[in-house]
Amino acid sequence: MEPVALVAPVTALEFAGDALLAGTGPEVVAFRLSGGGTAARRNVLREATVLGLRADRGPGATAGRVAAFGGRWLAVLAVRAGGARLAVCGGGEARELRARVWEARWVLGGRLALALGCGAVALYEWRGGGCWLRRASCDGAGALRCAVLAGTGWTRLALAAGTAMGTVVVWRVAAAQVPQQRLCGHCGAVLALCYSAPRGLLASASEDRSVRLWAVGDLGGGDGDGDGSCLLVCYGHGARVAAVVLRGQCPVSAGEDGACLEWDCGGGVRRDRRGHRGALRALALRPAGGCLATGGDDGGVRLWRPRRPAPAPVAALRAPLRPRSVLLAGPRRVLVLGEAGGLAAYEAAAGRWAVVLPSAAGGPRAVLAAAPLPGGEDTLCALGGGDGRLLLFALSCPGDTTELRLFEGAVRGLGWAPRPGLPPGASSLLASGPDGEMLWLDVTHRPGRAPRVQVMGRYLLPLCKQRWHTCAAFLPQGGLLLCGDRRGSLLLFSCCRSSGQAVESTSVANGSTDPVVEGATNPVYEDNSSEPELSCFSHREALPLETPVSVLFGLHEKTGVTSVTCHGGYIYSTGRDGVYRQLRVQDQKLEVLRKHRPCKGLQWIEELRFTADGDLLVLGFHADNFVVWSSRMGENLHCIPCGGGHRSWSYCSSPEAEIVAFIKCGDVLLYQHGVEPREQQVLLPSLHGREITCVRRLGAVEVPGRAAINVFVTGSEDTTACVLVLSECSQAAVPLARLSDHVSSVRVLVPASLVGPGEEGFDDEGLSTLLFSAGGRAQFECYRLLCAADPTSEGAVGCQVIHVASHRLDEHWERKKNRHKLVKMDPETRYMSLSVVPRTSTKQMPTPWKFLAAACSDGSVRVFGLLEAARKLVLVAESFHHQRCVLKVEAFLHTQAGGERRHLLCSAATDGGIAFWDITSPIADAVDALNEAEGEVKPLALGAPLLTVMAHSCGVNSLHIYETPEGRYLVASGSDDGSIHVCLLEVTLDGDNPMAGTCLHVLERVAQPCAHAAHVTGIRVLRPDLLLSASVDQRLTLWQRGPGGLEELSTTFFHVPDLAEMDCWEVVEAGGERWLYCVLCGQGLEVLRGTIPPEPPPSEPPQ
């Protein structure tokens, strides 16, 4: 089999001209720095991992020549056309050397000086067939963990090596028997070194989470003038420090905590760069330009451009009144509402304040809202008072004011909501008062005159303690208004109905009396009256009081909804619970699709901003800091210590600057940051920050002009699952959606069906399938995935996720009656395996319920039922037969010749035993119980297994069942001891009665005791005579099953350490050739393919 794509941790980085090279597994990937994107990819070290890349930068060096090394392997690459081509020099292949290579350095004559694992330094001629020219042994080193070489020739060569004991030992090769210096200070193994010859500085990074800077002098010339003193000790990483470089006199380090820290001359952190999803392993500094590149366990590569240090951009404005709330009216104007009700405006261009309204205008409990007018030079303001009055005016002409009496009590909620179809200068205003009444007003700006107001509707909010709206949006579907309230609920109103009658009333503007226009459907207020004010409250009975057509009560908990946004045909709501939700409207009903938690520690989300380049900016609060979080980059773009979200604040983004105004210490503070190019550029997207524990192929999506694109889903120890495709151009993983509902590791993923073009579940709009995920903390999640072609996206496929249901055993236990009499379930229970019970619905017994079995670490086998329409996932049956951790389950369906069905289940545990169950009756009983019960049902008993086969001497890590053409079943399993077991089963019934019992007979058993050198974690039966197995020993083996046992046909080495799972599928090419594809996951992800051997001719019957 041959590799197709590989996603592995990035272990080496190096700049070579206008290209950045990254070592990922045995491959080297080249990125163009000028044009961007992946330029080339090549496997250079066969079976070893690239641990170092060193470009030839010496005088007279050949441009684009790079040495790649890892383990005992060495290769020399030629980087051509700015990284567009990678060629292996010196014979065209990598060479295996006599010892591990810790470091390589280019010296005079284009040769390589190598630091070897045995504590030796050698001069190597890589051209031709390769030969060793000189060698010197450095005594007294101990166990090396890293090394760095200095000098340009053999006589001037020096070696600095970090040891496992925490010391840095320096030798001169000319006198290698005696170390020149021993640098002591680290409390753990030294993992990385970097030497700067012009300054005579050596930086070291260690397991003790520190970075140290040493004065060692010129190691490559003379005796050096450094005394080996420690100049700087830097502590700031939260885990081991894996890489270090020197930028001038200051070190830059990358750690396993995912942080890239730039230090100042005093040992403090000057710049903290974060964005990767896992530990960092590689770090490189571009000699010209100062760009940094980072790579790590998440398989991502990021480029960091230098950012000039700027002074603190927060300035106190010295407001003329004591501020109650602050509001930005564009990038150059700040509005401040005083505690007494006055209004003042600050013009940033002039740098001075102007009083807009006197202190008594709004009263002590006033609220303020503002909407920009066309052109952006003026602002339409609304000021609601504590006595129920509403003032409407343009900020440029506060004297032309429309004053209305809306309510008997205070105006509690006030906000503008953009509505499609309004003419320029008109906006919709929503105001809520006491008793949960909300008014919809359309306000039209008229230059030189008071604004014109038309009452469009009245709405009633649900009964609760804090009964006012906090945000609103008119949906683009038309006729619907969505509101969020202070109780955390989302409310959907119909706004297409009108009162159908004229209402006579009067209004006041500038002290003149205005009659209402006759014949209007809704009250319209003109400015020809001399009444002291207009009372809308007296005419509220003229409009009907609408109630919500759909309510999601307390969706964002009791802290309130902060914003609602429409984008891409979906609705997004945010709240102070630290999450945002994606929703849609179907048949005038709100439906929650999924819940997102952008990052850890973000307790309060205020708003979402969708950018033109496809990024999603999350505005919220992390502790007492206001942050702008980039979902694409995974980092904070801005972090402002404003004191917390309970204070009044306002944010504005313009092409010139990012501006935040907030109240602190009784004054208004203004933060301004000029718009700059993004410091961070993602060259290779991140996948998972920790080990990938499971992988499944969901199916294929047809994209016009391309071959069918396979869609995969992966789960990881980092508590997330990721839906992804593999890019045709870069062969890199392109994430489509991330599922972050789990609180612990995701250990197993299973789709309800594997579908593709031409199969059930695939239509013209794409692929649709149910996905179940489970893992630690006994947590179970179910999603509906909708994948369709999207030529505009990077992966050419788009994915929509709908969260269907979830289940946790601890919550299930809390709902039990008399639970104090029961033994509480273990909260550390893990789901080890899942299997969907096939075809539980028949014409004779149709049921919308789907069932699936789970293997649990507490020794139980559990069966769950899912009702997708009601979003209900319940536990229906369980058994503790195994009395030990159950590792694998597999459900299969047996159909008799007469059409009689039997649902069978196979479970395997840590003792090597495989049990077979008939779950037909429990499922039928569960369907009856679920149809009768409205809530939870008492779990049924699965009974005793039909048969138990002791297949292995220890735990079963892989299991697969294959139905033969004769109606029998091949059960293949792999174990911790590296063995493979295959048995052939036959299913029969006790008599012709449909209610008869099921019998299982073992017809044949085949065992291969030492099939692999480590755990067998993946196995598949391809045909009755073919098996495929994969192991932690990184071997993929194809076996032929025959009468005498298993015979090895071929073995392929793959590059994914710590293999966790394997999935396989077949593809028939246009010419009829059949290909077998395999995807493997562990410390990375790899896809391989190979041809399937032809089926053997049928054996002739005996004469």
Side-chain angles (χ1 to χ4, degrees), residues 966 1025 1041-1043 1095-1103:
E966 297 83 11
D1025 62 320
R1041 171 179 167 267
E1095 296 187 18
S1099 57
E1100 297 182 1
Q1103 299 295 330

Side-chain angles (χ1 to χ4, degrees), residues 21-388:
L21 304 182
T24 167
E27 297 180 342
V28 173
V29 185
F31 303 94
R32 292 192 188 95
L33 297 180
S34 56
T38 303
R41 178 187 291 262
R42 186 183 180 99
N43 188 318
V44 297
L45 291 191
R46 294 186 181 178
E47 301 176 359
T49 298
V50 178
L51 297 178
L53 295 165
R54 298 294 179 264
D56 189 359
R57 296 193 179 95
T62 302
R65 193 165 58 186
V66 179
F69 58 90
R72 300 161 65 97
W73 293 83
L74 173 70
V76 177
L77 298 175
V79 183
R80 298 167 182 163
R85 291 182 56 197
L86 294 176
V88 180
C89 306
E93 60 181 11
R95 295 192 179 96
E96 187 175 9
L97 307 181
R98 64 182 68 171
R100 173 170 182 167
V101 181
W102 282 108
E103 177 62 29
R105 179 176 176 82
W106 293 95
V107 295
L108 295 177
R111 299 183 176 95
L112 282 170
L114 304 177
L116 304 178
C118 53
V121 177
L123 188 63
Y124 184 72
E125 176 57 71
W126 56 273
R127 287 164 287 210
C131 62
W132 300 97
L133 302 180
R134 305 192 67 171
R135 177 185 172 92
S137 297
C138 302
D139 298 333
L144 299 187
R145 298 297 298 273
C146 61
V148 65
L149 290 165
T152 56
W154 179 258
T155 58
R156 302 171 66 88
L157 203 62
L159 169 69
T163 68
M165 301 303 295
T167 59
V168 179
V169 187
V170 181
W171 296 271
R172 290 190 55 80
V173 174
Q177 291 77 13
V178 180
Q180 183 180 0
Q181 291 178 338
R182 287 185 180 271
L183 311 178
C184 302
H186 285 292
C187 299
V190 180
L191 302 180
L193 294 170
C194 180
Y195 174 66
S196 174
R199 294 176 172 83
L201 299 177
L202 179 70
S204 61
S206 171
E207 280 185 344
D208 63 3
R209 302 180 296 174
S210 72
V211 176
R212 292 175 181 258
L213 192 64
W214 312 86
V216 295
D218 185 6
L219 298 180
D223 295 330
D225 54 357
D227 56 0
S229 60
C230 183
L231 303 178
L232 195 64
V233 180
C234 307
Y235 278 99
H237 282 283
R240 302 192 305 177
V241 187
V244 64
V245 296
L246 280 170
R247 173 179 275 173
Q249 298 181 1
C250 300
V252 182
S253 58
E256 294 184 2
D257 56 352
C260 176
L261 303 183
E262 185 174 352
W263 307 88
D264 57 25
C265 296
V269 178
R270 176 187 298 168
R271 184 80 176 89
D272 185 351
R273 298 177 173 90
R274 297 177 186 265
H276 287 268
R277 303 184 68 87
L280 296 184
R281 300 292 177 191
L283 177 66
L285 175 66
R286 191 178 188 184
C291 291
L292 281 171
T294 55
D297 285 349
D298 59 357
V301 176
R302 302 190 178 216
L303 188 68
W304 307 81
R305 293 182 174 86
R307 177 178 289 179
R308 291 175 297 178
V314 178
L317 301 185
R318 302 182 181 275
L321 40 78
R322 185 169 181 83
R324 169 183 171 86
S325 64
V326 63
L327 190 64
L328 283 170
R332 296 180 296 273
R333 185 178 292 122
V334 184
L335 301 180
V336 174
L337 181 64
E339 290 187 349
L343 182 65
Y346 177 82
E347 297 292 339
R352 64 173 182 267
W353 288 94
V355 177
V356 180
L357 293 178
S359 298
R365 291 183 294 169
V367 290
L368 176 68
L373 290 171
E377 297 298 327
D378 204 356
T379 304
L380 188 60
C381 298
L383 182 65
D387 55 356

Side-chain angles (χ1 to χ4, degrees), residues 678-697:
R678 290 280 179 92
E679 179 190 21
Q680 182 182 171
Q681 180 183 357
V682 178
L683 299 180
L684 203 60
S686 302
L687 186 54
H688 288 289
R690 299 181 64 184
E691 178 186 1
I692 302 176
T693 56
C694 47
V695 62
R696 282 288 185 270
R697 173 184 175 264

Side-chain angles (χ1 to χ4, degrees), residues 177 256 404 472 486 540 662 706 753 772 848 860 936 1036:
Q177 291 77 13
E256 294 184 2
L404 310 175
R486 184 60 179 83
R540 64 179 180 178
F662 56 93
R706 302 189 185 185
S753 60
F772 299 95
S860 68
E936 296 285 342
L1036 184 67

Side-chain angles (χ1 to χ4, degrees), residues 732-758:
V734 179
L736 305 180
R738 295 190 185 274
L739 315 177
S740 55
D741 295 291
H742 283 269
V743 298
S744 187
S745 62
V746 182
R747 299 191 63 90
V748 57
L749 295 163
V750 56
S753 60
L754 300 177
V755 295

